[in-house]
Each structure stands twice: as structure tokens, then as C-alpha cells.
């Protein structure tokens, strides 16, 4: 369990270490994939160097959604205690997050060794105690005020800082944890940095998909970021619906025997925060409420098949679902004349964009919204269903991914 000292300084206690072991052992596969094992071996060599010669160092591990960043991060903790202290906890290593209550709640639940009591197994970056030999930061792309945040970490006496990140998961104005910015920081502070070259960059990038279907992930990369990405096989796990009632029927059928949830962009006000019965989202006869903001209730919502409240990016990022029913709204549309994606900040009810997005250049806005869609659409382990509000956007997605709507498939019955 995380032990909090004065002024919210956190240490990884013995129970916390046991929780990390539990989370690691409960993974679907206890065997490291080849790409994960290469990274663990790389980090082990650097841990041994730190044992002999403690020095300031940053290692960046990159990888898309579902490639296993979190589990290798936990493995680094377990390797540290083995190398530095014969498997015992010396309170000089910690696992943390820059932000995200949802991810933290799910992480703590996965690590819990005492189901009767709520306990914390990771902390936030600004809470770590002084003089840590190893700090592992998950979701590092979400770091804000990057220079100050990392300066503070090293000023406290941290030696090895490992950042797990994905440029495509930087979602909100002010987030700065890209690979290039972290590298620039290390160079400006004369801190040892890995990866040092293209070969190391390849080794330290997780590529094997462990959650989301590989074809779905590559299809979304092609759609949003790189039209040169090839998708050799049909993407059978994306369902496009013309009619929202068929889309809703699909979701209800799937939810009977699986964790199938609605995810929508944050384009409707969250009126139900104080009044749970209030309808937030209204699209004709399709009427839904946002899912709970409270992180404990989110765990209950995720596992309750009868709870059809919808998640936004804040209450879905970091979650795994069997299937996702996704509504594509007008905050991100395909501009047929310019032949490019175009974000529209006026369609968003997201406070972070309303308060912090006014000074964004259009290119920056477009990227953040694309990243948000990418993250929301990579939540399912199995199938992704989509209903579009904008016809031009729907047409483009069908063309790029080589899909036909479910109603357009001959013989399809609903």
C-alpha cells in the first residue's frame, strides 16, 4: 500500500509491493511477449548500472493502447527489489501517474490485497517521496508543465525515471509528455537519456497488441495518422450502423453476456453530476446519462450489464471493455473539400477545452481531438460499433477502412 508521509509524500509500503505482485500475477498471460521481454532486459541492465553507479537517468518506453506498458512498468518495480534488495522493499521505488482518477481507481482495484478496505497502490507524480532510486510513471503523456514536473522529481533526489507514454494518447490542452519533449528536457539538463539511437528506440517501443485487435488498431492508425499504413486483412470487428435504433439494439444484445458500454465524445453538458436521473445526451429517441464521475462507482458501472449510462473520455480512458458502442459526433468531421480531419471546439462541452483550448492552433486542436477519438475507440477487446451523425465523415471512414454498413450487408437481420 502507498504510505503517505507529511505534506502528501508517498512511499511504496510492503503491502503496496504485494499488491503490485498480485496485479502482475493476475494478468491474462504471465509470460512476457518478445517485445516486452526485450524492454525488461534493457531496463535490468540499467538497474545494474544504477546499483554500481547511481546517477540521474531517464528511460522512455513508448507503445500504443493495449501494448502492455503498465504491466512492464510493474515488472520494473519487481526487478528493482530483486536487484537492489534481494526481493525486499527498501522504500526507494514507486509507481505513479501524472493524473487520471479513473486509471488510478482501476489500478488500485487490480492490486488490492484486502477487498474489504479501499487502499492506494499508486500515487500521483507530485506526491512521491524524496530520494527514490526508481520512479516509474505510467500515462506519462499526460504530464503537464513538463519541465517543472521533471525538475521537481530530480530535485527530490530521484535517480532513474522511467516514463511509459504514447504520443497518440496526449488528449488535453496543456499535456506535454511527448517523446520529443521528454528527450529535449533530458538534453537540456544533461541527464542520461534512452533511447539513445534508432535501434534503441525500436527496442523500447512496444508493438505487439495484447488487448485490442491488431487489425482494429492498424485501421485506426491509418484513419487518423498515416494513410500509408497497410491493413492486409478485412477489419471484421468494426460494425457501422446507418440507423441509431439498430446500433442501440446491437449494444443491448451484446451487453447481455459481456461488458459492452456506450462511449461518446464530450459534446453534451454533464447535467447529471448532481442529479443522477437527469438526461444528458439526447439524439432523437436515443437518450442517455453520463456514467458516474466517482471512480468507485465507475467500477460498478463497468461490470453491471444493465447500466447503460455512457462514458466520455474521462471515464473510459484506461478501461478495458469487451465491446464498445461509439457515437461519432461533430467535434471531429472529415472535410471533403480540404481532404483532411477538422476539429470543432465549439461542439465540445469538455471544460479543459472550454477553459484551456482558446489559444490552440487549429492543427493542435485537430490532433488532440483525433487522439481522443483514437483512445476511446481502442477500448474494446472484441468489437467496436459506430453510429455517425455526419454523413461525409461516415462515408470517408467506410472508404478508408474498406467497410460496408451493417444494414448494407445483404441478408442482415435485426
Amino acid at each position: 500500500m502507498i504510505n503517505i508521509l507529511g505534506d502528501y509524500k508517498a512511499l511504496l509500503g510492503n503491502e503496496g509491493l504485494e499488491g503490485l505482485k498480485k496485479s502482475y500475477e493476475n494478468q491474462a498471460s504471465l509470460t512476457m511477449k518478445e517485445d516486452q521481454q526485450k524492454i525488461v532486459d534493457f531496463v535490468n541492465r540499467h538497474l545494474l548500472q544504477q546499483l554500481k553507479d547511481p546517477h540521474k537517468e531517464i528511460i522512455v518506453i513508448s507503445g500504443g493502447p493495449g501494448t502492455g506498458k503498465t504491466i512492464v512498468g510493474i515488472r520494473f518495480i519487481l526487478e528493482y527489489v530483486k536487484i537492489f534488495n534481494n526481493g525486499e522493499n527498501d522504500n526507494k521505488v514507486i509507481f505513479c501517474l501524472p493524473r487520471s482518477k479513473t486509471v488510478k481507481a482501476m489500478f488500485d482495484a487490480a492490486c488490492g490485497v484486502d477487498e474489504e478496505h479501499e487502499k492506494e497502490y499508486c500515487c500521483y507524480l507530485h506526491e512521491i517521496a524524496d530520494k527514490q532510486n526508481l520512479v516509474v510513471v505510467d500515462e506519462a503523456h499526460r504530464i503537464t508543465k513538463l519541465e517543472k514536473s521533471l525538475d521537481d522529481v530530480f530535485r527530490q533526489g530521484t535517480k532513474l525515471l522511467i516514463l511509459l507514454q504514447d504520443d497518440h494518447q496526449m488528449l488535453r490542452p496543456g499535456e506535454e509528455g511527448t517523446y520529443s519533449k521528454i528527450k529535449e528536457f533530458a538534453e537540456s539538463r544533461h541527464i542520461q537519456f534512452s533511447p539513445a539511437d534508432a535501434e534503441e528506440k525500436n527496442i523500447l517501443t512496444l508493438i505487439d497488441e495484447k488487448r485490442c485487435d491488431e487489425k482494429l488498431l492498424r485501421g485506426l492508425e491509418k484513419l487518423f495518422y498515416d494513410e500509408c499504413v497497410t491493413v492486409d486483412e478485412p477489419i471484421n470487428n468494426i460494425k457501422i450502423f446507418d440507423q441509431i435504433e439498430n446500433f442501440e439494439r446491437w449494444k443491448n444484445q451484446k451487453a447481455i453476456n459481456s461488458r459492452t458500454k456506450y462511449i461518446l465524445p464530450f459534446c453534451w453538458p454533464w447535467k447529471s453530476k448532481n442529479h443522477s436521473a437527469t438526461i444528458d445526451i439526447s439524439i432523437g429517441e436515443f437518450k442517455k446519462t453520463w456514467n458516474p464521475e466517482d471512480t468507485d462507482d465507475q467500477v460498478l458501472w463497468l461490470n453491471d450489464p444493465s447500466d447503460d449510462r455512457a462514458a466520455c473520455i474521462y471515464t473510459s480512458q484506461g478501461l478495458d471493455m469487451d465491446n464498445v458502442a461509439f457515437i461519432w459526433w461533430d467535434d471531429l468531421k472529415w472535410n471533403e473539400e480540404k481532404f483532411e480531419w477538422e476539429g470543432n471546439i465549439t461542439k465540445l462541452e469538455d471544460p479543459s477545452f472550454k477553459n484551456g483550448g482558446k489559444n490552440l492552433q487549429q492543427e493542435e486542436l485537430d490532433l488532440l481531438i483525433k487522439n481522443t477519438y483514437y483512445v476511446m475507440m481502442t477500448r474494446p477487446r472484441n468489437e467496436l460499433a459506430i453510429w455517425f451523425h455526419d454523413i461525409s465523415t461516415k462515408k470517408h471512414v467506410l472508404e478508408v477502412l474498406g467497410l460496408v454498413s451493417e444494414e448494407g450487408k445483404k441478408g442482415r437481420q435485426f
Side-chain angles (χ1 to χ4, degrees):
M1 185 174 66
I2 291 292
N3 298 324
I4 302 296
L5 307 176
D7 298 324
Y8 296 98
K9 295 298 183 182
L11 294 170
L12 181 68
N14 286 319
E15 191 174 351
L17 181 60
E18 290 303 312
L20 293 182
K21 289 179 181 177
K22 176 194 171 186
S23 177
Y24 182 79
E25 291 167 357
N26 283 346
Q27 296 301 307
S29 172
L30 300 183
T31 304
M32 288 272 106
K33 300 290 185 182
E34 183 180 0
D35 60 339
Q36 292 174 305
Q37 190 60 55
K38 286 181 178 179
I39 289 174
V40 170
D41 293 342
F42 180 93
V43 169
N44 271 358
R45 292 194 294 272
H46 285 252
L47 286 172
L48 289 169
Q49 291 171 8
Q50 285 284 342
L51 183 62
K52 296 176 182 177
D53 175 27
H55 58 278
K56 293 180 181 180
E57 181 179 1
I58 295 174
I59 298 177
V60 174
I61 314 295
S62 301
T67 52
K69 295 188 296 298
T70 301
I71 194 60
V72 296
I74 295 174
R75 178 68 178 269
F76 300 153
I77 302 287
L78 303 181
E79 293 294 321
Y80 167 87
V81 296
K82 183 166 60 176
I83 290 171
F84 273 71
N85 217 39
N86 296 318
E88 299 297 325
N89 184 16
D90 64 357
N91 290 322
K92 296 297 183 182
V93 57
I94 201 161
F95 190 99
C96 62
L97 295 160
R99 56 200 298 184
S100 182
K101 292 188 294 184
T102 298
V103 176
K104 187 179 185 304
M106 293 300 169
F107 186 90
D108 288 340
C111 294
V113 294
D114 181 354
E115 296 181 358
E116 294 183 2
H117 301 92
E118 295 180 9
K119 295 180 179 178
E120 297 183 359
Y121 294 88
C122 71
C123 65
Y124 294 118
L125 181 59
H126 67 275
E127 296 174 337
I128 64 170
D130 295 345
K131 298 180 181 179
Q132 297 293 295
N133 288 328
L134 171 63
V135 174
V136 179
V137 186
D138 202 1
E139 303 268 326
H141 39 266
R142 304 202 66 189
I143 295 175
T144 58
K145 300 179 181 178
L146 185 131
E147 289 193 3
K148 181 183 183 306
S149 296
L150 299 192
D151 275 336
D152 288 346
V153 169
F154 285 108
R155 193 177 295 117
Q156 290 174 236
T158 294
K159 297 306 180 186
L160 176 56
L161 176 65
I162 300 181
L163 301 170
L164 308 167
Q165 66 87 234
D166 177 14
D167 284 4
H168 292 330
Q169 294 190 64
M170 189 179 70
L171 307 177
R172 309 261 85 59
E175 294 179 353
E176 298 181 337
T178 62
Y179 168 80
S180 61
K181 286 191 176 182
I182 298 167
K183 183 178 181 181
E184 287 173 8
F185 168 85
E187 291 173 347
S188 69
R189 303 305 193 267
H190 305 289
I191 295 172
Q192 182 179 332
F193 177 82
S194 296
D197 52 36
E199 182 180 352
E200 279 193 0
K201 181 73 163 66
N202 184 55
I203 292 172
L204 297 180
T205 300
L206 288 159
I207 55 173
D208 291 338
E209 183 59 38
K210 286 91 181 172
R211 182 192 70 212
C212 187
D213 183 87
E214 183 72 27
K215 297 189 293 295
L216 170 60
L217 192 65
R218 290 187 65 80
L220 295 176
E221 289 173 351
K222 179 181 181 67
L223 183 65
F224 291 129
Y225 305 114
D226 187 356
E227 61 185 21
C228 296
V229 171
T230 57
V231 182
D232 298 325
E233 300 178 43
I235 307 175
N236 298 320
N237 58 347
I238 299 182
K239 313 292 183 184
I240 307 293
F241 287 91
D242 297 327
Q243 305 298 324
I244 198 168
E245 57 266 27
N246 291 338
F247 166 82
E248 191 169 10
R249 191 176 297 121
W250 175 91
K251 186 270 176 188
N252 291 337
Q253 289 173 347
K254 288 288 183 180
I256 294 172
N257 297 310
S258 67
R259 296 199 304 183
T260 300
K261 297 296 178 182
Y262 291 112
I263 300 182
L264 284 75
F266 202 166
C267 296
W268 293 265
W270 203 329
K271 300 175 183 177
S272 63
K273 276 189 176 182
N274 299 318
H275 305 282
S276 59
T278 302
I279 296 297
D280 295 310
I281 303 153
S282 182
I283 308 171
E285 296 301 314
F286 182 90
K287 298 182 186 301
K288 302 296 173 188
T289 297
W290 288 120
N291 73 324
E293 182 185 24
D294 183 87
T295 51
D296 295 326
D297 289 341
Q298 284 173 15
V299 177
L300 299 175
W301 161 83
L302 182 64
N303 292 292
D304 183 354
S306 66
D307 192 334
D308 71 345
R309 288 178 290 177
C312 67
I313 183 60
Y314 293 114
T315 54
S316 62
Q317 186 177 19
L319 302 185
D320 292 348
M321 304 167 191
D322 295 312
N323 308 290
V324 165
F326 181 74
I327 287 183
W328 197 307
W329 205 246
D330 297 340
D331 55 323
L332 182 65
K333 295 168 68 172
W334 181 253
N335 187 317
E336 290 185 308
E337 294 182 359
K338 296 182 179 179
F339 206 71
E340 64 184 18
W341 289 109
E342 195 166 75
N344 187 341
I345 198 170
T346 67
K347 299 296 182 180
L348 288 168
E349 294 293 336
D350 185 335
S352 66
F353 278 97
K354 282 193 165 187
N355 300 328
K358 296 177 182 178
N359 296 323
L360 287 175
Q361 298 295 319
Q362 185 64 42
E363 184 178 354
E364 295 175 296
L365 174 68
D366 294 344
L367 179 59
L368 290 176
I369 297 179
K370 283 194 296 183
N371 287 352
T372 302
Y373 270 64
Y374 176 72
V375 170
M376 292 189 291
M377 294 168 72
T378 54
R379 297 305 91 201
R381 291 180 177 274
N382 298 322
E383 292 186 321
L384 170 68
I386 311 174
W387 180 80
F388 293 84
H389 187 243
D390 180 68
I391 300 303
S392 296
T393 303
K394 174 184 171 184
K395 177 184 174 184
H396 177 70
V397 173
L398 288 171
E399 289 177 353
V400 171
L401 300 182
L403 300 174
V404 177
S405 71
E406 295 300 292
E407 291 89 339
K409 294 178 181 177
K410 294 182 180 179
R412 188 75 175 180
Q413 299 295 321
F414 293 95

